[in-house]
Each structure stands twice: as C-alpha cells, then as structure tokens.
Amino acid sequence: ALDRKSLRTNRSISSDQVHLAQLIIISRTTTGTMRKHNNHNNAPNIASMIAFVLLATSFKSVSATYTYIAGYEPRSTVTEHAEIDLDVKDIMTHDDWPSNNGGAYKDCTTITNACKWDTNMYPTLWDTACTHNLATVSTSNACKSPYGIYSAGKNSLKSSSVRSIAGFASSIGTKESGPIGAKVAAKDNQFIGAMNNFWKSKGLNELTWGQDIIEAAFKGEKVNGGRDLVIPTTGVTTSTNTIKFDAHGLSDGDSVQYNNGDGTAITGLTHGTNYFVVNKDTNTFMLSASSGGSAIALSGTGNDNQYFTPKHNFDFGVVGRDFRKEVIQKGMIYLNIFPYVIWEMQDAINDCNAGSLADNTQSYCSPSDTYCGQSVHAWDEAVAFFAGSLESVTKGGVTGYSGGYLQYYLADKRCENFGTCTASYDTNADEYAGESKVNEEIIALFQRGEDEISAAVDITSTTSAAAKTKCDVPAKTMEEVATKMLVPFIQGTIRYLYKTQTTSGRTAKQAGELFAFASTILPFIHAVDPAAAKMLYTHVWEMPADPADDVNTLADIKSAIEATYPKLGFGAGIGTIKCSDIGQLYPYLSGCVDTVSSTIEDYAGYEPITDVTMHSRIDLDLEAITTAANIGGTCGSSCKLSDCSVATTVMAAGTGCNYDGTTLPWPTTADGSFDIWTNGEHSKKSTSMRTIRGFVSGAKTKASGNSPSTQDVAYKDNKFIAIMNKYWKSKNLDEHTWGEQMIKAAFEGTKVGSNTHLDFSTVGRDFRKEAIQKGIVYTNIFPYVIWEMQDAVNDCNAEKYIDAVHAWDTAVALYAGSKTRGKGYGIHGPDGGNLQYRLADKRCINFKTCANGFSGTSNVNQDIFALFNLGKEEAKKSAVASSTADCAQLNTLKEKISTLSLVPFVQGTLRYLYKTRNDDSGRSAKQVGELWAFATAILPFVAEADANAAEMLYRRAWQLDFTSNSYEEIKSALEATYPKLGAGAGFGLVTCEAVGGLYHGPSDAQRISTRACSSTSRPEASMDLRLVGGLTFLAFALTALSAYTCFLKRRAEKKYNTAVFQGMGNGTGPQA
C-alpha cells in the first residue's frame, strides 16, 4: 500500500503530471441522488493506484520537498503543523470515550449517569497534569487520555516542545508579531476581536473563552470555571434589601439565578429562580423579579453556602454526556483551531508589513528550504491547520470526507447536506455528494495569498511604501478566507436547528452539535445584527428541554441568520457569502434566494451586483467640503481675477485672495474642508475612512496586487492616467501625485509643486474656491473612476471575477454618487448629485446635448451608462462562469467610458473660454477659476493630440495669458483635436455632435454665433453608441435565455446520467 503522507513535491514537478494524477484520482463512479457516507471507504481502484505511482515517481528527483495540502503548494515545511489533526483523531477515536447513550438534552435521570462520564462527572486521571520532556512525548496514562492529548498535545511536534490544541486557545489572546507600529496582535484582528468581544459580553473571559468552553465540557462544569457569587449571611442586608459581593462585575438588567446551597433560602427569594439586577453599585446590588422592576424586599439572610450564578454561564453538568462529547470533539476544531488559523494568516501579514520577511525561522528549516522562514511560512501554517495531514496531497483532498478531521473535512461533510458539493474538479454530477465548492474557493484563496506574499518578498526594500502596499493585498485575501470559512459552520447551525426542533430530535447529541456550530458563528452574526444573534444565542445557550418552550421558531431564527449573509465577515470578505454558497438542507428546508435589487439600490438606473453604498457616499464628502460654512461665499463678477487689493478677506462675501481676514490658507481644523478632503467623513471602509485625497496621494504605488503572471496594469500605467502623468510631469508637477498637489496648493494659497506659472495666493478667493470644489472632482475623483475600471479588468484577467464585478460597481458609484441612489434611469437636475454624472447633465443644457435638447438626461450620460451596464453584464457573466470571461471586451468598454467622460470637461472648457474672452464679459476670479478646473481635466489629452493646441489652452488657463491667442484661435485648435482625444478604443468618440454648440440660454435663438464645428471622426463611432441602448437590453435578454438554457441542459444531463447508471446493473443505484 502507498502511504499518501510520504508523497512530497515542489515547484519543479511537472504540472502536467500533477494535473493528470489529480484527474485520475478524483475519477469515480457515483450514482443516484444521494450516497452512503461509507462509500468513501471503498478499496482503491486501478486508476487511483496508477495516479499514486505517477505522483510518487515524479517526486523522486526533487531537491527541496514540501508536502502538498489538498492541492495547495506550500513554500515551507509544515508537515508537523498539519499533524495537529492526528491529535483530533486520537481524541475523537479514543477507547476511553463512553458510547453514546442516546439521552435527552437535559435529562440526567431517565438513563443512569446520563450526564456523567461514567459514575463520576469526569475521570480523576484528568486531574493529573500531563508533562512532556521537551519534544519527547510522555507515555504516561495522563498524557494518553483524551484530556491529556487536548491539553498537552501528542502528534504535532515543535523543535523543543509539543504543539497542543489547548495551547492554541490559551495563548491566542497574547499572540503578536512584528515591531511596534507594524503589528496587529491576535486579539486585535477583526475576526478574532469580534469573537473576543462577543464572548466577553456574555460573561466569559475575553481572551480564553475558547479554552474555557472546552474545559468546562470535559469537566462537566459551568463555563469560565463556574463563576459563582457566594453570599454568606453577612452579605445580605435586609434593611436596604442589598446583596454585597466585592467587585461583582454585574450590570443592571443582568440575569442571575439564586441557589440556596441546600440550606435556608433568603426570605424573599426562591431557590432556582432567575432574578434581574437593579440599582447596582460597585460592590452591592439589588434584585427584581423583572428587568428594571422594583427591588425585592429581603427579610431573612439565608445561609453561608448560598450563591448567585450569572445566567449566561452555561452548565455542562446538567446536560447529557453526549452533549458534552459533541462540544468537545467539534468545539476544539471550531472554537480553538479555527481562530488560530486566522491568527496564522494575520501573523504572515504582520511579518510582511514589518519588513520581517524572514520571521518564523525554525530549526526544521533545512539549508535547501529556500522559502522556509519567510512570512509565507506562517501562511502555510494556516493552511496546515485548516486541512491537516490526513487530506490527500491532490486538489480536492481525500474523496468526500472520509479521511480528514479539520475544517476542510467539515466543508466536504456539510456540502452533502446542502447541495454545495459543486467544486469544478468534482466529476460527480450530484451536488449532494463529492467535493465542496467552498473548499475549492478557500484553497484557491490560500494559494493566491501565498503568491501575494511572495510578490512582496520580491521587493528590494521591504520597508518601502511599495512593499507595505503589496502586503495590504494578502491582508484582503485573509479577510476573504476567514469569511468563507464560516460557510460550513452556518450550514451545520441550520442543520441542527432543524434536527432539534422536536422533542424526539432534541437529544443531547444533536443539541451538542448545534451548540458547537452556533457558538462559532454567533460573534459574526452579532457584528451584523445583534437582534439576530440574540435570537440564536437564547435558543442555543438557554435552550429549554421542551421545544414547546422555545422563545423563537426555527423559521424566525433561520430567516434572521440568512438576512446577515451579505454583511458577514470583515473587510474584503463582506459580500462573499451568498444564499447559493449555503445551499438548502435537502429535502427538509429550502434555502434563501440571492437578491440584489431588494437590498442594493440602483445608481441612476445602474443596478450594482455588489454593495458599494459606502463608496458612493464620497459625494457627501464633497458636499460637506463645499458648504458655505466651510468653503465660503461667492463674490461673483465684481471680484476680478488677481484683484487682491482687499487686504482683509471676508470669507462669507468671497472677496480678496485669502481664506478669511489676513489668513491665507484654509484651516486644517476638524470638519473643515481641508480636513474632510484629507481624512474623509462619510465614506467608511471596513477599518478606516475612504478619503478623496487618498485617491491621489497613493497614485504612484496603487495596484491590484494580483499574481505577476496576470500582468496587472498598475494605476500609473493605465493609458489615460499615464497620459495625465506625462503631461503634468512636463509642467514640473509630481509625475504621480499632481492631483494632490493642485488641490493642496489651492487650499494653502501657494504655487503648485515646482510649477511657477500659477500662484494661488494672487488669483482671488473665488478662483481658489472653484479650483477646490471643481478640481476635486476633475483631478482627484475622475482618475480614480478610471482606475476602478482598470482594477476590474485586472481582476478579470486574474480570474477574480467577483472582485472584478465589485471594482466595476465601484467605478459607477464614484461616477454617479449616493445622491442618485434609488432615483432610477433618467434622473437629471439637482437630484443628480455633484459628481461627474451631475456635471454632464449641467453642461448638456448649455450645449443642447440633453435627451430633449435643453432638458433631460445628457446624451453622454446615456451613452456612458449604457456602456457601464454592458460592462456589468460582461463582468457578471464572468463571475458565474469563468470560461465565458471576455476581459478584452471589458477593457474596451473601459476605454470608451473614459474617453466619453471627457465630453463634459470639453464643454466646460469651451463655456468658460467664451465667458473669460475679455474683461467686459466677466473675467472674474470665479469664472477664470472654472476655466482652470475644466481645462486642467482635458489638457493632457489635448497635448497628446496636438501639443500646440494644448500650449494655447495652458497659457490661457494656467499662465492667465489672455493676449497671446484669441478665444477663436484656442476654440478652433481645441475642436480640431476631438478625433484624437482619449485613448485606445475611445478614439473618435469625442465628436462635434457629442460636444454640441454653446448657447446663452435654453432656446435655439440663443445660440452663440461662432464658426460651426465639423466632425471628422470615424463614422461608425456614433452608430456604435446609438446601438448600445438596444444592445444593452438584448444583452439582458440573451443572458437570461442562456442561463435558462444551461439550467435545462444540466437537468437533462442529470436525468440522462441517472438513467444510464441505473441501467448498468452494478448494484449502486439509488438507495431507498
């Protein structure tokens, strides 16, 4: 027989050999709609034996070897770590376990010793501590017992000690890595912190709750050591009706249970009754029969053995032995190992962020282990603790769930209950048997995270900003992994909620399973919806023996849990759990249905697939920046350009050149315009605030962070942004952060970088105001909209399709803003907000390019949103089936949208060129400031088409030269560049028709009489856009038709396969 554990490999192995071996191993014949679990234990067939030989042969010649873990390729040695699953196995299969007695959940009398280990609550042997001699495992009876293995370990050896499951739970509260400023301690990780905070709120130890629960289950006692408030007679004061217990830690409203300690009860109280704390002080409290009610009068002091037990301290001494057994066997994985998997990922990120990419070096790192000791080693440890040593080295692990014991095994086990055994490598057509989809996703994320950490390793200076940006990328992957890991725990919770809803089903065993599963997800449910968590907690931790006494129904609890799916997890993980990920408990309970429109409102008719609500609220920041209280008033036509003769500026009037009085710069005080631009106010991220300044300050290093093999296009290398960078560098601004420099200079009243042509201290307050409020959109947010589309293309190429959809949705949210939410298609006017969407609708009125000429939604917004919707459908299609991904098409749409976005900027430039053509027409600080903002947005693209035309416009807008070229000369030169504005597939989309002609007012009679512009762009460009609206609808229809056709095809195939297998006469047909 071949030993799977001995099969080792590294990156020098032939990928074709591995792939062929994996294909052979997973090939199997499975029939019917369900399969007996023990079918996984069939003898290996010839194909699998050939596969193992092929693998073993291919591994012989490698120099440095690392054992694959369920298809994951580690880059360090973690074989000993993975063997923590052998501890779990030895505990669960130990001969000392009493057999299940089938007792009820809370019935310790019907069956003799139903709640005890044997005749005692637990073996006295467990009171003897297990001690190993460094890494030499003791063979004492205490160490060989289930409790000894749990508390001291057995199989997973370290260099000078033995790794233990209890050690995970007892030490995680103090775990940290990296120097000050770079570390995120385990307790501060969002996921672990959520667990700590929740269990602390329930009266458990904030840091050791996981160990406390399992210890209590082993010993048959109350959780957290059975903390009781023992009150002697001297602690009862009848004259004041108070109970005294120093530092009792109780709060008003807490529920406590009174126990008379087998003696005389306090007069006024009844043994075994729950009371509520009222009028508490640091060392005293009173009791009431109801929450917030009147204090109970106490007329007797009771006895010295009486005590109060906080109701939330669960007592394992009053539940059936089978309950304790399930909590131990399942809970040590879910409540001890699962948090530690998350910690190992956080440890890897810490080491990366700290520049300590050589951390975690251990004695087992051999000279040939190139990667051993780098931060990727901690990442590898996470995978080892997730899957274990007993899963196969191949993708998919051991067939079904017969081999493992850890979380990987659990996912494969639960998928057979919920119809989520749909991994792409599972050749079995039955979704209720085989390999889980979530395991495939998690292992892929693990592999991606490993690549992302390795990419950070490649950076020469590990303390550079670029390195830290790189390290932020696997941090997001960690968030996705940790969130996805919740899927099988949710499935288990729903399964055992169903099983325990009846008296016959509320056995100790099944109630114990529910306790273990629900306790794992409770903190995350609470983080989304405390009311839903309270329902589940009450049902599980305070479960009555009789289902008739349940506070909430199965349907209510299930619905409350399902409603939290879209927001479960943290950071990048939020939104990655859907109803389809959980499936349905077939054939007993239906699953929920994924709906987007019911929870996520559209943006001007664009319906996002992901939740980008917070992203869209960036327009609220702009709104706050531009309030009169922050930005100041407007002087208007009376304040001419560069008229700084008013020594004392009046902020409210907009006069002079200063911010206010004699103060030149805008203040940096909290909630002021500069502060909101810099630190944000309304657009929250998972752990920080999204900021407009942040869009541009990180322009040099911004990247998607995918594997180098996918050839990501970085922010600075996007075609459009690169054009901007090149131009502003030629004007002595920073090549990458020019957008930040411009707005900062306007706020501070200075020159822009090393550019000497424009000094914001001399142009008038209105000019600075317009530069700030318009420039923020045109030079900060506009490039970032382009970036989000580029990010979507990058993620599409990296086959991160959900990420691609989210990035595309984000681009729309930043283009339209939250003000357009739920307003439907065709919104126009003030309801359109203050971002690019609103700008296009404002300018169309001046150029007769609205849907109805001078009114309605702008033509360019219609065109852009048609393209946005086509892009969404392309990205959505890719997210459902990677084989249909057309990332090149997504890139084409990005280039067209980016080019069309220039149209309103061109219109604004023409409008304010005209308005500022001479002093008499109103060359005010305000109107020249408007010209500066619009011209600044298009100058790089004009320069790319015609350097001379750009120089004319630059002299007018930046050098404030109104004599070298006339308005007509600049206008004519600008119009001649239209066919060449933009980049890539966008060339030719800016036309004279798209820009239109300038009007004084909303009538044909008010057209400004200037030379008409004539388009010379490719004729098909306009036709393309006219067809887009119809094609968008057609795309929706074809997508729906395609989905329905695939559904019919798959159903027909399943029926065909079932019929064929049943006719083969192999005796493996459906079980009755």
Side-chain angles (χ1 to χ4, degrees):
L2 291 172
D3 180 8
R4 290 172 183 245
K5 184 178 175 182
S6 67
L7 300 180
R8 298 173 182 273
T9 184
N10 74 349
R11 286 172 300 285
S12 65
I13 198 170
S14 166
S15 59
D16 291 336
Q17 288 175 308
V18 173
H19 182 61
L20 177 58
Q22 292 170 350
L23 286 177
I24 296 174
I25 287 175
I26 65 175
S27 296
R28 59 191 183 280
T29 300
T30 307
T31 61
T33 58
M34 296 294 284
R35 170 176 64 183
K36 282 188 175 180
H37 297 162
N38 59 12
N39 284 351
H40 300 306
N41 297 320
N42 291 342
N45 56 30
I46 296 298
S48 62
M49 291 298 293
I50 293 173
F52 280 124
V53 171
L54 178 59
L55 279 171
T57 302
S58 64
F59 299 156
K60 286 182 180 178
S61 61
V62 300
S63 55
T65 60
Y66 305 113
T67 302
Y68 274 66
I69 306 170
Y72 170 85
E73 180 185 20
R75 302 189 185 185
S76 64
T77 303
V78 288
T79 50
E80 287 290 348
H81 304 75
E83 289 181 348
I84 198 69
D85 65 349
L86 299 182
D87 281 10
V88 176
K89 177 184 178 182
D90 286 350
I91 293 170
M92 295 179 72
T93 61
H94 203 287
D95 291 339
D96 284 358
W97 283 109
S99 60
N100 286 354
N101 58 29
Y105 159 53
K106 274 190 176 180
D107 183 353
C108 299
T109 59
T110 302
I111 299 175
T112 304
N113 296 322
C115 298
K116 297 180 179 179
W117 184 266
D118 40 40
T119 58
N120 298 309
M121 193 56 71
Y122 65 91
T124 55
L125 176 65
W126 295 357
D127 289 328
T128 302
C130 168
T131 304
H132 302 303
N133 182 14
L134 299 178
T136 301
V137 178
S138 170
T139 58
S140 68
N141 289 334
C143 290
K144 291 190 294 183
S145 71
Y147 181 72
I149 298 171
Y150 168 75
S151 60
K154 177 184 176 183
N155 298 284
S156 183
L157 305 182
K158 302 169 75 171
S159 58
S160 59
S161 60
V162 181
R163 191 174 285 105
S164 72
I165 300 170
F168 287 168
S170 63
S171 66
I172 193 169
T174 56
K175 285 285 184 180
E176 58 183 30
S177 58
I180 295 174
K183 64 187 175 188
V184 175
K187 63 183 178 63
D188 297 324
N189 170 278
Q190 291 184 87
F191 293 83
I192 299 170
M195 300 184 222
N196 292 345
N197 292 335
F198 178 79
W199 293 116
K200 178 184 179 182
S201 74
K202 297 303 178 184
L204 276 65
N205 185 285
E206 180 181 8
L207 303 179
T208 62
W209 53 266
Q211 182 185 25
D212 293 341
I213 292 172
I214 305 305
E215 289 275 355
F218 265 116
K219 300 293 181 68
E221 60 190 18
K222 297 185 181 76
V223 180
N224 203 22
R227 175 176 173 263
D228 293 326
L229 308 182
V230 179
I231 310 294
T233 55
T234 55
V236 181
T237 304
T238 57
S239 61
T240 57
N241 300 318
T242 56
I243 310 293
K244 183 177 185 298
F245 189 96
D246 290 345
H248 52 71
L250 298 172
S251 300
D252 285 344
D254 281 356
S255 179
V256 295
Q257 186 177 73
Y258 174 62
N259 190 300
N260 63 16
D262 295 327
T264 302
I266 297 173
T267 306
L269 302 182
T270 303
H271 170 73
T273 301
N274 296 320
Y275 297 98
F276 294 89
V277 174
V278 292
N279 303 327
K280 68 95 181 175
D281 201 343
T282 303
N283 300 319
T284 64
F285 58 92
M286 298 181 187
L287 297 172
S288 174
S290 60
S291 181
S294 301
I296 296 172
L298 308 178
S299 57
T301 58
N303 68 90
D304 288 341
N305 296 318
Q306 62 199 358
Y307 59 90
F308 291 91
T309 303
K311 191 179 176 184
H312 44 243
N313 282 350
F314 190 88
D315 190 352
F316 282 96
V318 297
V319 295
R321 182 176 66 213
D322 294 350
F323 185 106
R324 294 168 57 192
K325 181 177 177 181
E326 291 302 325
V327 172
I328 294 168
Q329 295 185 347
K330 306 305 184 346
M332 62 182 171
I333 303 167
Y334 312 165
L335 306 177
N336 291 185
I337 299 178
F338 164 53
Y340 208 81
V341 171
I342 298 174
W343 160 244
E344 288 295 356
M345 289 190 287
Q346 182 65 66
D347 186 22
I349 305 305
N350 288 351
D351 294 340
C352 186
N353 273 324
S356 302
L357 298 175
D359 271 8
N360 292 311
T361 301
Q362 301 290 345
S363 60
Y364 49 71
C365 293
S366 66
S368 61
D369 283 355
T370 307
Y371 291 94
C372 189
Q374 293 173 343
S375 62
V376 74
H377 177 64
W379 192 265
D380 289 343
E381 287 182 81
V383 183
F385 295 143
F386 170 77
S389 67
L390 296 173
E391 291 293 347
S392 169
V393 297
T394 58
K395 183 181 292 186
V398 173
T399 302
Y401 63 90
S402 64
Y405 282 87
L406 302 183
Q407 287 171 255
Y408 190 99
Y409 150 87
L410 169 66
D412 279 349
K413 187 174 183 181
R414 287 288 79 88
C415 79
E416 296 200 348
N417 308 127
F418 285 81
T420 52
C421 302
T422 55
S424 62
Y425 46 75
D426 186 354
T427 57
N428 172 22
D430 184 1
E431 60 266 35
Y432 288 93
E435 314 302 330
S436 70
K437 178 65 174 177
V438 73
N439 269 346
E440 178 182 27
E441 293 171 338
I442 289 173
I443 291 297
L445 287 169
F446 269 135
Q447 199 71 64
R448 188 181 88 190
E450 181 189 54
D451 292 340
E452 291 162 350
I453 291 174
S454 297
V457 173
D458 293 337
I459 298 177
T460 304
S461 173
T462 57
T463 59
S464 68
K468 294 185 182 301
T469 299
K470 286 274 189 178
C471 295
D472 289 341
V473 177
K476 294 181 180 179
T477 300
M478 170 189 69
E479 293 166 346
E480 292 184 56
V481 172
T483 301
K484 277 292 185 183
M485 286 178 180
L486 297 176
V487 168
F489 299 132
I490 295 170
Q491 291 173 328
T493 300
I494 292 175
R495 173 176 162 85
Y496 287 97
L497 278 170
Y498 170 78
K499 282 180 168 287
T500 58
Q501 67 175 327
T502 64
T503 302
S504 61
R506 192 158 293 185
T507 63
K509 179 188 182 302
Q510 295 190 152
E513 292 255 30
L514 173 59
F515 183 95
F517 280 115
S519 295
T520 310
I521 66 170
L522 267 168
F524 305 100
I525 301 290
H526 182 267
V528 176
D529 184 356
K534 183 178 180 180
M535 291 173 66
L536 182 59
Y537 177 81
T538 300
H539 188 82
V540 175
W541 276 63
E542 300 176 4
M543 177 185 282
D546 187 349
D549 296 328
D550 287 346
V551 176
N552 297 290
T553 65
L554 165 65
D556 288 342
I557 300 172
K558 176 175 174 287
S559 294
I561 294 173
E562 289 170 339
T564 67
Y565 291 169
K567 296 182 180 180
L568 283 180
F570 294 97
I574 295 175
T576 60
I577 293 183
K578 304 181 295 299
C579 294
S580 56
D581 294 317
I582 306 301
Q584 62 174 342
L585 183 60
Y586 182 82
Y588 311 108
L589 294 174
S590 61
C592 61
V593 178
D594 291 311
T595 58
V596 175
S597 58
S598 63
T599 56
I600 304 178
E601 293 181 302
D602 66 75
Y603 293 88
Y606 176 98
E607 184 177 62
I609 296 173
T610 63
D611 190 352
V612 288
T613 302
M614 278 297 170
H615 304 73
S616 71
R617 286 167 60 87
I618 204 70
D619 64 352
L620 301 183
D621 278 10
L622 183 61
E623 185 175 82
I625 289 170
T626 57
T627 59
N630 277 332
I631 203 74
T634 297
C635 178
S637 60
S638 64
C639 289
K640 300 301 182 182
L641 175 67
S642 302
D643 183 3
C644 298
S645 59
V646 179
T648 303
T649 292
V650 179
M651 174 189 173
T655 57
C657 295
N658 298 330
Y659 163 73
D660 193 26
T662 58
T663 303
L664 178 63
W666 253 255
T668 59
T669 52
D671 298 323
S673 293
F674 186 91
D675 176 68
I676 297 170
W677 174 64
T678 301
N679 299 313
E681 190 169 75
H682 297 93
S683 184
K684 294 180 180 178
K685 301 167 73 172
S686 57
T687 58
S688 60
M689 193 70 71
R690 187 174 289 102
T691 72
I692 298 174
R693 186 175 185 177
F695 288 167
V696 285
S697 63
K700 183 177 182 179
T701 58
K702 176 69 69 175
S704 298
N706 296 313
S707 172
S709 63
T710 65
Q711 298 182 328
D712 272 0
V713 175
Y715 182 103
K716 63 184 177 63
D717 298 324
N718 167 275
K719 289 180 182 178
F720 292 81
I721 296 171
I723 289 172
M724 301 182 213
N725 291 345
K726 181 177 75 171
Y727 180 79
W728 292 116
K729 180 182 179 182
S730 74
K731 296 302 181 183
N732 294 320
L733 274 70
D734 185 275
E735 181 181 4
H736 305 290
T737 60
W738 48 267
E740 180 186 29
Q741 285 183 314
M742 291 176 187
I743 305 305
K744 185 172 183 286
F747 271 124
E748 295 179 346
T750 63
K751 294 178 180 178
V752 186
S754 300
N755 183 289
T756 60
H757 293 148
L758 180 65
D759 187 344
F760 278 104
S761 69
T762 64
V763 293
R765 194 185 193 286
D766 275 356
F767 187 112
R768 294 172 64 189
K769 175 183 174 181
E770 294 302 325
I772 291 168
Q773 61 188 18
K774 302 296 192 337
I776 280 175
V777 181
Y778 311 165
T779 68
N780 289 189
I781 299 177
F782 166 50
Y784 210 79
V785 171
I786 297 174
W787 162 244
E788 286 294 349
M789 290 189 286
Q790 180 65 64
D791 191 27
V793 174
N794 290 346
D795 289 338
C796 181
N797 286 324
E799 298 185 353
K800 294 163 56 177
Y801 302 113
I802 295 299
D803 290 353
V805 171
H806 183 63
W808 194 262
D809 286 345
T810 300
V812 179
L814 298 179
Y815 178 91
S818 67
K819 292 289 186 178
T820 68
R821 290 188 70 213
K823 302 289 175 40
Y825 179 74
I827 178 180
H828 59 274
D831 286 344
N834 53 13
L835 299 183
Q836 286 172 260
Y837 186 94
R838 170 62 175 147
L839 168 66
D841 282 357
K842 286 179 69 176
R843 290 289 79 87
C844 78
I845 298 171
N846 310 130
F847 287 80
K848 198 184 177 183
T849 54
C850 305
N852 302 314
F854 295 106
S855 65
T857 302
S858 65
N859 292 333
V860 74
N861 266 344
Q862 294 179 62
D863 292 339
I864 286 173
F865 267 69
L867 295 171
F868 269 141
N869 274 302
L870 284 177
K872 178 187 69 175
E873 291 306 308
E874 190 61 49
K876 179 180 178 181
K877 177 173 61 178
S878 303
V880 174
S882 60
S883 61
T884 66
D886 189 348
C887 304
Q889 174 64 9
L890 200 62
N891 188 66
T892 295
L893 294 170
K894 173 205 72 182
E895 292 175 344
K896 290 183 177 181
I897 292 169
S898 300
T899 300
L900 285 170
S901 296
L902 297 175
V903 169
F905 300 137
V906 173
Q907 292 173 327
T909 301
L910 290 172
R911 183 169 192 249
Y912 287 96
L913 274 171
Y914 178 80
K915 281 180 172 288
T916 59
R917 67 192 186 281
N918 59 57
D919 279 330
D920 294 335
S921 67
R923 196 173 295 160
S924 65
K926 178 186 184 303
Q927 292 182 332
V928 179
E930 294 247 28
L931 171 62
W932 177 89
F934 282 110
T936 296
I938 65 170
L939 269 168
F941 303 97
V942 175
E944 199 73 2
D946 184 344
N948 289 329
E951 197 57 22
M952 289 185 197
L953 182 58
Y954 178 81
R955 281 197 295 266
R956 177 64 59 93
W958 274 69
Q959 293 180 267
L960 308 180
D961 177 352
F962 293 87
T963 59
S964 294
N965 302 101
S966 68
Y967 156 73
E968 288 77 12
E969 286 178 308
I970 302 173
K971 174 180 179 291
S972 179
L974 176 57
E975 289 170 339
T977 67
Y978 289 178
K980 296 181 180 180
L981 290 182
F987 284 134
L989 295 184
V990 178
T991 65
C992 290
E993 290 77 11
V995 175
L998 181 60
Y999 290 76
H1000 281 301
S1003 71
D1004 289 336
Q1006 292 178 289
R1007 173 148 185 170
I1008 294 172
S1009 180
T1010 58
R1011 182 187 61 81
C1013 171
S1014 176
S1015 293
T1016 57
S1017 63
R1018 68 180 195 272
E1020 68 270 22
S1022 297
M1023 183 179 295
D1024 286 347
L1025 288 175
R1026 287 195 298 270
L1027 289 173
V1028 158
L1031 289 175
T1032 302
F1033 174 79
L1034 181 60
F1036 277 109
L1038 289 176
T1039 300
L1041 177 61
S1042 174
Y1044 184 64
T1045 301
C1046 290
F1047 167 75
L1048 293 178
K1049 179 175 181 290
R1050 182 177 181 189
R1051 186 170 67 178
E1053 288 174 345
K1054 289 187 69 176
K1055 288 183 176 179
Y1056 171 78
N1057 289 337
T1058 300
V1060 170
F1061 288 135
Q1062 287 177 344
M1064 292 176 67
N1066 59 7
T1068 58
Q1071 301 296 319

